[in-house]
Each structure stands twice: as structure tokens, then as C-alpha cells.
Amino acid sequence: MAVRERLSGNEAVAYAIRQINPDVMPAFPITPSTEIPQYVANYIANGEIDTEFIPVESEHSSMSAAVGACAAGARALTATSSCGLALMWEELYVAASNRLPLVLALVNRALSGPININADHSDSMGARDSGWIQIYAESNQEAYDNFLQAYPIAEHRDVMLPVMICQDGFITSHGVENILLEEDEKVRAFVGERNPEHYLLNPEETLAVGPYAVSSYYMETKRGQRQAMINARRVILEVAERFREMTGREYGFFEAYRMEDAEYAVVLIGSAAGTCKAAIEQIRSTTGKKVGLVKIRVFRPFPEEEIAVALANVKAVAILDRSEMFSATGGPLGAEVRAALYKAKGTAEAVNYFYGLGGRDITVEDFCQVYERLERIAAEHEITDMYDYIGLRSVRRSSKAVKDMA
């Protein structure tokens, strides 16, 4: 029977790691993910798990050690944030191209510069094309649940790709919430044991991992990774169904919140979904306007067709990015969703906004204003602010100055 507890997101992920009892965890501390290896190290010191913890000299080394351990046949993981992920960059591609099913607990934090330790998605979005599966959490419960599903996805023989489990720094990582924890025995039966088909320490097989790929073979490895990512779509849903049978909690590529009759929708990733849901309930209860939310859980592989279907009947949609792409036309989520709508010949007006960069707060009132803009856009069919920021201080100052002058 599930146990109700109060945990931070970092504690919840560490608890999931304890239940899984992986073989190897190399780690180097960086805010705000430092607590995850700290808690795991405590579990090891207390004799609760027998994971081999490897303190290393950098994040590049932690991912390198995880790659080596995974290639040797061990179940491996590490944790990091922000610049730590950037220092791992080379090894992210190595892990994916070598088809190593390791797991990374990423606590999202803004990348320098200027230096900032708070939440946005610039770290994981920068790595979106590295070949890793990316799964995001709104809440501490989702961070825990997503981590439990990571290894069954990664280690499936039709996938064999690394998985990045993401949560928003400080907002969920350090915020404490009520959470349901599954029993250890159920979790271990759900996750199972790793039984690698090919691994370096197999005395019966000669194997090279990470050899030089000449031009005659390199493209084929990329095609293999692509097929694995395609296969991951099916496997993610299969694992989610098994998880629902164990816990009663349902997961898919995204959550469609109040979308059954929605005329105006927001699409976003992560913890801000909770604030958006509060705005939706306020708007519906006070005005009766039909507003909804599509909260993306799985960003890689991107559920293009399913999102287009979810947005098929809306008049206007706002795609909110918590990461700049500096394309001067929009953000990474905006580019993906707009492409999905274009491919499906969607009729909704679509706009792309940026919010929450460097931990900037977004409020219920901000979301209410977004829905008001969508209503105007749908009525006028004119978009004047496609590439804009929500809550930018210069805008607030200028508005106050106008009021003072009046």
C-alpha cells in the first residue's frame, strides 16, 4: 500500500533511487541538484542500498564514469543542473550514440551568463538534440513517478537510449509537497533488473564501445538512434500503462487539462502548469470562458501528431517557453508546436511567449492576461506580439510611468 509522505522533489528522486538500488552513481555537486547525490550517499552510508558511489572532480567526469559503468553492464545514473550539464555536453552525445540506457536526474537551472541559480529550461533545451529522451515534471509526485519509469523505458531492447528526468530548480526540487510513495517491493518488481545483451565485461563476447565511425558508417548510427527514438514513443506509453496498473496514476506524452471544450489554450512545460490550472479555474468560474492547458511531459520524442489533435478545435493557442532559443522568431517549444500545427493544417492562431527566465515568477494574473490576448487575437486575426516576454521589468516600469504621468 502506498505511503503518504511530505518530500521535496530532490528527496523524492533520491527516494526513488534508493528503491531502485542502481549499481553505480558518479556525481559532482552543483546547485540545485546537490541534494540528490547527498541523500543517496546517506542511504549508502546507512546500508540501505549497495550502490557504488563515485565522487569525481567534475560533471564531465561524472557522465564519463556513468558512460563507462553503463557500457560495462551496470545500471548507472548521475544528477546535475545548469552549467554541470553544459560541462557534460561531449559525453551526452557519447551516451546516446553508444545506445547506453543510463539515467540523468536534471534539476533545471538557468545557464550562465549572467550567473543565475534559479529555474529555467535553458540547460535541458540546449541538450534537446543530443539524442536523449527528455521527460519533465510539474510536481514532486511527477518527479518521483517519472524517475521510476525511466529505467524500464531506457533499457527496453527496442529503445536503449539514455533518459533525462527533469524538474524545475528550487520550485519543485526544494519545495515540499504531499506525495505518495510506492512500496519497495512493488517498485523493484516494476523496474526489474538490468540484463544487458551486450556489455564490456562479458567474457563470452568481444566488444568495442565508442569506436571511430568512418563516413561509410556514421550516418547509419544516426539512423539507428532515430529509430530508437521513434520506438520510444510506444515504449513510453506501455511503461505508463504498467505504472497506472501499479499506482492508479495516469501518464502520457502530455496532460490535456480542461481541453474537452477549450477555445483558447496554453502549451507549456513544468511547474508553471499548476499556476496556469488555477487561472483556468478562476476564468471558467467567473466568466465562463472556455480555456484549457496542454502540459508537455515528454519533449523527446516530441508528440507532434498527438499535440496537433489536442489543439485541433481551439481558436488560439499561446506556447510558453522557459528558455530562449535566440532564433529571433521564437523558442524551442514554440518551434515544435507551431510546426506540428502547420503539418496538421491547424487553423488556430498561434503565438509564442517567454516567461520565467532565471526564476522570474509567473502569476495567475499573468495567465489571465495571456488568455485575454488569445481572445483578442482570435477575434481580430492580427498578431502584433508573436515574440514577447511575460513579466518583463521594463514593461512594468513603463506602465507605472504612464500611470504616474496621468
Side-chain angles (χ1 to χ4, degrees):
M1 183 176 179
V3 176
R4 182 173 293 277
E5 186 56 271
R6 289 184 297 275
L7 298 176
S8 70
N10 281 345
E11 288 177 301
V13 168
Y15 194 90
I17 294 170
R18 183 195 67 77
Q19 292 182 304
I20 295 167
N21 192 17
D23 299 309
V24 180
M25 183 178 186
F28 187 86
I30 183 170
T31 302
S33 66
T34 301
E35 289 181 327
I36 296 175
Q38 173 193 336
Y39 290 130
V40 173
N42 286 339
Y43 288 136
I44 296 169
N46 294 336
E48 297 181 59
I49 54 175
D50 57 8
T51 302
E52 182 71 24
F53 187 88
I54 307 175
V56 292
E57 68 273 18
S58 74
E59 291 87 355
H60 185 280
S61 298
S62 68
M63 183 54 68
S64 297
V67 163
C70 193
R75 179 173 275 168
L77 79 150
T78 189
T80 197
S81 298
S82 183
C83 303
L85 186 70
L87 191 53
M88 293 178 178
W89 221 256
E90 175 189 14
E91 298 303 316
L92 295 180
Y93 284 82
V94 171
S97 63
N98 286 332
R99 307 292 297 280
L100 299 175
L102 57 88
V103 175
L104 171 64
L106 181 70
V107 182
N108 287 109
R109 168 189 148 188
L111 274 169
S112 298
I115 294 173
N116 181 288
I117 65 167
N118 297 307
D120 70 27
H121 298 155
S122 54
D123 48 7
S124 57
M125 285 298 166
R128 66 189 180 275
D129 298 330
S130 61
W132 283 61
I133 293 168
Q134 289 191 349
I135 303 178
Y136 290 79
E138 172 190 347
S139 65
N140 303 7
Q141 183 73 65
E142 288 188 15
Y144 170 76
D145 292 350
N146 288 345
F147 203 93
L148 294 184
Q149 296 175 64
Y151 283 111
I153 295 168
E155 294 173 357
H156 194 287
R157 65 177 301 168
D158 293 338
V159 179
M160 298 298 292
L161 289 174
V163 175
M164 195 177 293
I165 300 296
C166 307
Q167 63 169 317
D168 288 350
F170 293 108
I171 300 170
T172 61
S173 68
H174 287 64
V176 175
E177 295 180 357
N178 289 329
I179 186 172
L180 288 175
L181 301 169
E182 300 306 310
E183 298 174 20
D184 292 355
E185 296 78 12
K186 287 185 177 180
V187 168
R188 286 172 185 159
F190 174 80
V191 176
E193 296 292 333
R194 185 185 178 197
N195 296 301
E197 186 175 357
H198 307 286
Y199 55 101
L200 283 173
L201 295 185
N202 182 0
E204 305 300 323
E205 180 182 31
T206 300
L207 179 68
V209 175
Y212 176 70
V214 296
S215 300
S216 303
Y217 292 94
Y218 182 85
M219 278 183 66
E220 284 69 24
T221 66
K222 298 296 113 177
R223 180 62 181 85
Q225 288 178 251
R226 173 190 171 189
Q227 188 60 49
M229 194 65 79
I230 292 170
N231 296 345
R233 290 168 50 86
R234 168 180 56 82
V235 174
I236 287 168
L237 296 182
E238 290 175 352
V239 171
E241 176 58 23
R242 285 180 51 220
F243 191 80
R244 184 197 64 77
E245 293 172 356
M246 180 178 72
T247 67
R249 296 189 290 277
E250 295 189 23
Y251 290 99
F253 295 132
F254 54 83
E255 177 188 359
Y257 185 81
R258 303 298 297 267
M259 287 297 296
E260 298 84 358
D261 61 347
E263 296 179 339
Y264 313 103
V266 164
V267 181
L268 55 71
I269 292 173
S271 60
T275 307
C276 186
K277 290 174 182 177
I280 289 169
E281 295 307 318
Q282 178 177 305
I283 293 168
R284 282 182 173 262
S285 64
T286 58
T287 70
K289 293 177 181 177
K290 299 173 181 178
V291 296
L293 164 70
V294 174
K295 181 196 73 181
I296 305 296
R297 172 179 177 251
V298 178
F299 186 71
R300 286 290 183 269
F302 190 73
E304 182 180 72
E305 296 176 3
E306 292 83 355
I307 287 174
V309 170
L311 297 173
N313 297 320
V314 303
K315 297 178 181 178
V317 55
I319 308 135
L320 272 58
D321 269 289
R322 200 162 195 163
S323 172
E324 253 284 15
M325 194 165 68
F326 301 112
S327 66
T329 59
L333 181 60
E336 301 274 6
V337 174
R338 287 160 66 190
L341 292 173
Y342 177 82
K343 182 178 178 181
K345 297 180 172 59
T347 58
E349 301 278 8
V351 293
N352 191 188
Y353 297 121
F354 297 91
Y355 78 99
L357 303 186
R360 180 69 54 86
D361 196 17
I362 185 166
T363 67
V364 168
E365 179 58 31
D366 289 328
F367 279 111
C368 290
Q369 291 177 9
V370 169
Y371 285 113
E372 288 176 6
R373 292 176 203 161
L374 289 180
E375 189 175 9
R376 290 197 301 271
I377 288 169
E380 300 169 2
H381 300 287
E382 183 177 349
I383 299 174
T384 58
D385 53 357
M386 167 66 78
Y387 186 69
D388 202 1
Y389 293 81
I390 296 171
L392 200 64
R393 289 179 60 225
S394 59
V395 174
R396 289 175 176 173
R397 283 200 301 270
S398 61
S399 297
K400 183 178 185 300
V402 169
K403 290 179 181 179
D404 290 345
M405 290 174 65

